[in-house]
Amino acid sequence: MSDLAERAARLDADDPLADRRDLFDLDDGVIYLDGNSLGALPRHVPARVADVLTRQWGRMRIRSWTEGGWWDAPERIGERIAPLIGAAPGHVVVGDSTSVNVFRAVISALRMTPGRTEILVDATTFPTDGYIAASAARLAGATVRAVHPAEVSGALSGDTAVALLNHVDYRSGRLHDMGTLTDAVHEAGARVVWDLSHSAGALPVDIGSHNVDFAVGCTYKYLNGGPGAPAFFAIRPDLLPRLDQPLGGWCSHRDPFAMDTEYVAADGIAKARAGTPEIVSLLTLDAALDVWDGVDLRQLRAKSLALTEFFVDCVNQLAPAARSVTPAGEDRGSQVSLSCVDAERVMAELVARGVVGDHRPPDLLRFGFTPLYTRFADALRAAEILGEILA
Amino acid sequence: MSDLAERAARLDADDPLADRRDLFDLDDGVIYLDGNSLGALPRHVPARVADVLTRQWGRMRIRSWTEGGWWDAPERIGERIAPLIGAAPGHVVVGDSTSVNVFRAVISALRMTPGRTEILVDATTFPTDGYIAASAARLAGATVRAVHPAEVSGALSGDTAVALLNHVDYRSGRLHDMGTLTDAVHEAGARVVWDLSHSAGALPVDIGSHNVDFAVGCTYKYLNGGPGAPAFFAIRPDLLPRLDQPLGGWCSHRDPFAMDTEYVAADGIAKARAGTPEIVSLLTLDAALDVWDGVDLRQLRAKSLALTEFFVDCVNQLAPAARSVTPAGEDRGSQVSLSCVDAERVMAELVARGVVGDHRPPDLLRFGFTPLYTRFADALRAAEILGEILA
């Protein structure tokens, strides 16, 4: 047994989260390192969704809205996500896409900073955040400036209304310092919106202790909520009474079934809702979140860092033609991005050989390490196959 | 056998759509007259969704985006809805809620009518449309005026940018004249947005021949797409190149996987998308739409009118304390609303006795007649039980 194989065996044997893997359907032998794009299926989800369809929809029908827990599903599921991102209870709601929630957050933040007209956007952001910020700016008479996260502090000014930042860079896997950046934005008198799409479920996030104003993120990556699962929206408790969002619909009304012609926002986090919630997708997510029951997020982080560090060591030994562009240690999310020649073809060969990551143009191979179901042995085998392909 | 029972038996025997009922799970003996709120479950849907979860998500995982038909599901499902609303192929897309799509349509319409600042909103609208129009107006520097549909023509002026109208009044069940109203709006140089939530799947809609600019609507009522199923957005073909919507995200970009920082809208109807589509809800709807294969919408309309007329006849004879407030004949959608004393309690008793409609404050009992699965015998039995309760 090689040193690396011995190390993998020891790390897997000592992994306190090892039993979580059995909760997922990964029986096909694929080494799935794309949970940062689409989390794997928790085994129990199909039976739960079958109940949603056959009993709740099929038999209870309309009564499920009131008697079956459909109406308040957005808030109830938000309550389950709150501890995963460090949000206060009652201040997270789930629904719509991340794009729509970025729009909701940016417009709301602009309305809290009257007289200021500039939106700072993380220049390394996943593109949709920048597109939506530009659209929000156009509607609100603001402007957008793209700045690298390292330059945010220097770019803040008395005209900065809001900074829209990604917690983890989707390309490089770099984890940004939420506390320092949030403090800097607040010192400038601006609001911050954090996109947690690549950190929620990948590591402990604590928007509460960092006084984050708004946070949004998707639930289909490390939270395993299913393809296109609804996004979350979180707000700092003292800001909730002032929340003035642009998509208030009948489901965010104080008294939805009074069918008033006048809009009056709900008091609680329901005021961040809009239209009828996407129940089948929401309850798929609700079921999927069961895999988090009892998980210690410090153990999750420790395993994630050990997994990615081990993978980089394996790559350095077995596939030296690929080079990690992901920072080490605490500056790393839960992915490793490797730069190599002919990356698109290399990823296609990896997939053909049962190692699933993804490719980001021009030269990156991305590998997500989902601590709930990825084994150290998987990391080693992926590096071995990559080495064979690159050799 | 009473005259009404004989009439019901004859009408059911002659119903060319009678066999469609078997496609739905209605085996519990409930008389379900709430398909105008939540359509019943088509029997085949759970098996299809199980495949989405276990095979497409569980085994193909990320590959389903490209190889499994997930990526273009919004356009593909829009293509199936197009003939039901008379839209041109390639000009309908499905995703987000009706509220979000109203926002998308109203902002887009305002941008097509520069210099005009007034939004006319149907004063009888389902409330969310009015709330969203007010929010869009606030962002765009426009104003909202609520006018009764009968007064729209007189209210139009050179300052009218857009009229937001409901095809069927959700309370009274009145069907508005799409052709006449659309012509009037166009003569005033304005754009029209029709909300088809209560007509799509209830009767033949023909936005194409009426030159409708924008149409939106939900898919969980007469289209039976499941609770909170995604909404559709349709646009007139000659307006698509000019569409400039406020929620353009990565999924409406011309080249989504290039991950450009600059937003360039797609050429086709994909430009009306936003973020990652809600796949589980979308593919639930996709499966549900199979019940429309081969349906003749003229037969659907004929049955709907016969059903609602028969129900009103039954109520007049058997439950005369209730009074229909729904217009007769061609001015009727596919629902009947009855005004009666103590309506909320009466509906609760109806539900307890297995007749499910709903109550709209203060005095209305609403009954939806879904032509695909409601029998004339159901209409009679509902009226009989209502008569017993009111006696």
Side-chain angles (χ1 to χ4, degrees):
Chain A
M1 200 182 239
S2 73
D3 284 357
L4 289 170
E6 274 174 31
R7 210 171 127 197
R10 193 174 60 247
L11 287 163
D12 278 323
D14 292 346
D15 174 12
L17 295 171
D19 62 345
R20 294 276 151 174
R21 180 178 168 89
D22 289 340
L23 300 178
F24 294 86
D25 179 2
L26 292 160
D27 301 341
D28 57 0
V30 167
I31 296 176
Y32 190 64
L33 301 177
D34 211 9
N36 53 328
S37 273
L38 175 68
L41 170 71
R43 290 183 196 278
H44 68 286
V45 165
R48 290 273 293 280
V49 176
D51 179 71
V52 170
L53 299 175
T54 58
R55 186 181 61 84
Q56 297 180 31
W57 174 17
R59 288 300 166 89
M60 293 181 64
R61 301 189 191 96
I62 196 74
R63 286 165 46 213
S64 287
W65 279 111
T66 46
E67 299 168 38
W70 287 359
W71 181 264
D72 64 357
E75 296 95 318
R76 185 169 46 76
I77 301 169
E79 213 63 352
R80 301 188 70 186
I81 290 174
L84 298 171
I85 60 172
H91 291 82
V92 184
V93 70
V94 181
D96 301 315
S97 66
T98 304
S99 297
V100 168
N101 279 315
V102 167
F103 184 78
R104 176 176 275 135
V106 169
I107 293 282
S108 301
L110 285 168
R111 287 175 173 169
M112 288 181 186
T113 50
R116 291 169 175 242
T117 62
E118 189 172 79
I119 305 171
L120 289 188
V121 175
D122 179 347
T124 61
T125 185
F126 185 77
T128 213
D129 297 48
Y131 304 160
I132 293 287
S135 176
R138 179 176 163 202
L139 280 165
T143 56
V144 168
R145 180 151 60 120
V147 290
H148 194 278
E151 291 153 14
V152 163
S153 296
L156 290 159
S157 76
D159 195 37
T160 308
V162 52
L164 171 60
L165 304 172
N166 281 220
H167 199 193
V168 173
D169 184 315
Y170 80 103
R171 286 175 55 87
S172 71
R174 176 182 289 277
L175 173 67
H176 295 296
D177 184 338
M178 178 178 277
T180 301
L181 282 163
T182 299
D183 286 348
V185 173
H186 285 167
E187 273 160 36
R191 299 292 173 189
V192 69
V193 179
W194 280 99
D195 184 335
L196 310 179
S197 291
H198 290 83
S199 60
L203 48 102
V205 180
D206 195 355
I207 63 170
S209 74
H210 295 308
N211 293 312
V212 165
D213 303 302
F214 300 91
V216 300
C218 83
T219 62
Y220 50 77
K221 298 178 186 288
Y222 296 96
L223 293 174
N224 315 298
F232 59 82
F233 173 93
I235 186 167
R236 208 173 75 186
D238 61 306
L239 298 180
L240 181 59
R242 294 168 57 194
L243 176 65
D244 180 11
Q245 66 125 337
L247 294 168
W250 79 289
C251 290
S252 56
H253 195 279
R254 181 172 295 175
D255 189 1
F257 290 95
M259 305 279 161
D260 282 342
T261 54
E262 210 64 33
Y263 182 72
V264 184
D267 285 323
I269 189 63
K271 78 193 282 188
R273 292 173 59 168
T276 306
E278 55 279 61
I279 291 297
V280 180
S281 282
L282 274 168
L283 297 188
T284 301
L285 166 63
D286 191 23
L289 289 172
D290 286 4
V291 301
W292 293 98
D293 290 347
V295 170
D296 179 334
L297 295 180
R298 289 162 305 181
Q299 286 183 345
L300 186 87
R301 179 62 169 158
K303 179 175 177 185
S304 162
L305 290 178
L307 262 174
T308 52
E309 184 185 342
F310 179 64
F311 179 66
V312 172
D313 288 350
C314 292
V315 169
N316 288 341
Q317 279 196 42
L318 303 171
R323 185 180 53 82
S324 170
V325 301
T326 304
E330 290 293 337
D331 293 334
R332 174 182 290 166
S334 198
Q335 81 182 52
V336 172
S337 297
L338 303 177
S339 168
C340 79
V341 174
D342 220 0
E344 187 166 11
R345 182 191 58 79
V346 171
M347 182 50 72
E349 285 196 38
L350 279 166
V351 171
R353 295 191 58 181
V355 177
V356 177
D358 60 22
H359 163 247
R360 286 291 173 263
D363 65 333
L364 289 187
L365 307 173
R366 285 202 317 173
F367 301 93
F369 289 84
T370 306
L372 290 188
Y373 56 73
T374 308
R375 297 170 298 202
F376 292 87
D378 297 327
L380 170 57
R381 185 74 191 123
E384 283 171 351
I385 295 176
L386 177 63
E388 290 167 19
I389 292 170
L390 292 178
Chain B
M1 200 183 237
S2 73
D3 283 358
L4 289 171
E6 275 174 30
R7 213 173 125 198
R10 192 174 60 248
L11 286 163
D12 277 324
D14 292 345
D15 173 11
L17 294 171
D19 63 344
R20 294 276 152 174
R21 180 178 170 87
D22 290 340
L23 301 178
F24 294 87
D25 178 2
L26 293 159
D27 300 340
D28 56 0
V30 167
I31 296 175
Y32 190 65
L33 301 177
D34 211 7
N36 53 330
S37 274
L38 175 66
L41 170 71
R43 289 182 198 277
H44 68 286
V45 166
R48 290 272 293 278
V49 176
D51 178 69
V52 171
L53 299 174
T54 58
R55 186 181 60 83
Q56 296 179 31
W57 175 16
R59 287 301 166 90
M60 293 180 65
R61 302 189 191 96
I62 196 74
R63 288 165 44 213
S64 287
W65 279 111
T66 45
E67 299 168 39
W70 288 358
W71 181 263
D72 63 357
E75 296 94 320
R76 185 169 46 76
I77 301 170
E79 213 63 353
R80 302 188 69 184
I81 289 174
L84 298 171
I85 60 172
H91 291 82
V92 184
V93 69
V94 181
D96 301 316
S97 66
T98 304
S99 297
V100 168
N101 278 315
V102 167
F103 183 78
R104 175 177 275 135
V106 170
I107 293 281
S108 301
L110 285 168
R111 287 175 173 168
M112 288 181 187
T113 50
R116 293 170 174 240
T117 63
E118 190 172 77
I119 305 171
L120 290 188
V121 175
D122 178 349
T124 62
T125 185
F126 184 78
T128 213
D129 297 46
Y131 304 159
I132 294 287
S135 176
R138 181 177 162 205
L139 281 165
T143 57
V144 168
R145 181 151 59 121
V147 290
H148 193 279
E151 292 153 13
V152 164
S153 297
L156 291 159
S157 76
D159 195 37
T160 309
V162 51
L164 172 60
L165 305 172
N166 281 221
H167 199 193
V168 173
D169 183 316
Y170 80 102
R171 286 174 56 87
S172 71
R174 177 181 289 277
L175 174 67
H176 296 296
D177 184 339
M178 179 179 276
T180 301
L181 282 164
T182 300
D183 286 349
V185 173
H186 285 167
E187 274 160 36
R191 300 292 173 191
V192 70
V193 180
W194 281 100
D195 184 336
L196 310 179
S197 292
H198 290 84
S199 59
L203 48 101
V205 180
D206 195 355
I207 63 171
S209 75
H210 295 310
N211 292 314
V212 166
D213 303 302
F214 300 90
V216 300
C218 83
T219 61
Y220 50 77
K221 298 178 186 289
Y222 295 96
L223 293 175
N224 315 298
F232 59 82
F233 172 93
I235 187 166
R236 209 173 76 185
D238 62 306
L239 298 180
L240 181 59
R242 295 169 55 194
L243 176 66
D244 180 12
Q245 65 125 339
L247 293 168
W250 79 290
C251 290
S252 56
H253 195 279
R254 181 172 295 176
D255 189 1
F257 291 94
M259 305 279 163
D260 281 342
T261 54
E262 212 63 33
Y263 182 72
V264 183
D267 286 323
I269 189 64
K271 78 193 282 188
R273 291 172 60 167
T276 307
E278 55 279 63
I279 290 296
V280 180
S281 281
L282 274 168
L283 298 188
T284 301
L285 166 64
D286 191 23
L289 289 172
D290 286 3
V291 302
W292 293 99
D293 290 347
V295 171
D296 179 335
L297 294 180
R298 289 162 306 179
Q299 286 182 344
L300 185 88
R301 178 64 169 157
K303 179 176 176 184
S304 162
L305 290 177
L307 261 173
T308 52
E309 183 185 345
F310 178 66
F311 179 66
V312 172
D313 289 350
C314 292
V315 168
N316 288 341
Q317 279 196 41
L318 303 170
R323 183 180 54 82
S324 170
V325 300
T326 303
E330 290 293 338
D331 293 334
R332 174 182 292 166
S334 199
Q335 80 181 55
V336 173
S337 297
L338 303 177
S339 167
C340 81
V341 174
D342 220 2
E344 186 166 11
R345 183 191 58 77
V346 170
M347 182 50 71
E349 286 198 36
L350 278 166
V351 170
R353 293 190 58 182
V355 178
V356 177
D358 60 24
H359 164 249
R360 285 292 173 261
D363 65 331
L364 289 187
L365 306 173
R366 284 201 319 173
F367 300 95
F369 290 85
T370 306
L372 290 189
Y373 56 72
T374 309
R375 296 169 300 201
F376 292 87
D378 297 327
L380 171 57
R381 186 71 192 126
E384 284 172 350
I385 295 175
L386 177 63
E388 290 167 19
I389 292 170
L390 293 177

